[in-house]
Amino acid sequence: MTSTFSQQRLTYLGSLSAELSRQGLASRMVGGDDPVLWVWHPESLRQTIVFATPAGDGWLFLWSPDGREKAGNPRGTAESLDRLLSAPDPGP
């Protein structure tokens, strides 16, 4: 049975996934009972993992490197991820 905590996480990640699709990005939920969202840009092939986690005043999306956005703003998060993953790879 899915806990309320897990259900909230799934809801936030699902909302983000829908916005990512509208931005032209691809995503897939992975992780079973502790889901995360694997996100990639179909052209650049750059990718990251997005976590949804509770914070003091609500929920946050977190991703590497240094990404952070309120989970109540999936559109803004999708736009930030699009900018990140569309950018040319800086290389080593």
Side-chain angles (χ1 to χ4, degrees), residues 51-62:
F51 297 86
T53 188
D57 60 346
W59 282 70
L60 293 174
F61 290 126
L62 304 172

Side-chain angles (χ1 to χ4, degrees), residues 38-61:
W38 173 30
V39 181
W40 66 96
H41 191 287
E43 293 176 18
S44 72
L45 302 180
R46 294 185 72 199
Q47 56 189 306
T48 192
I49 298 289
V50 178
F51 297 86
T53 188
D57 60 346
W59 282 70
L60 293 174
F61 290 126

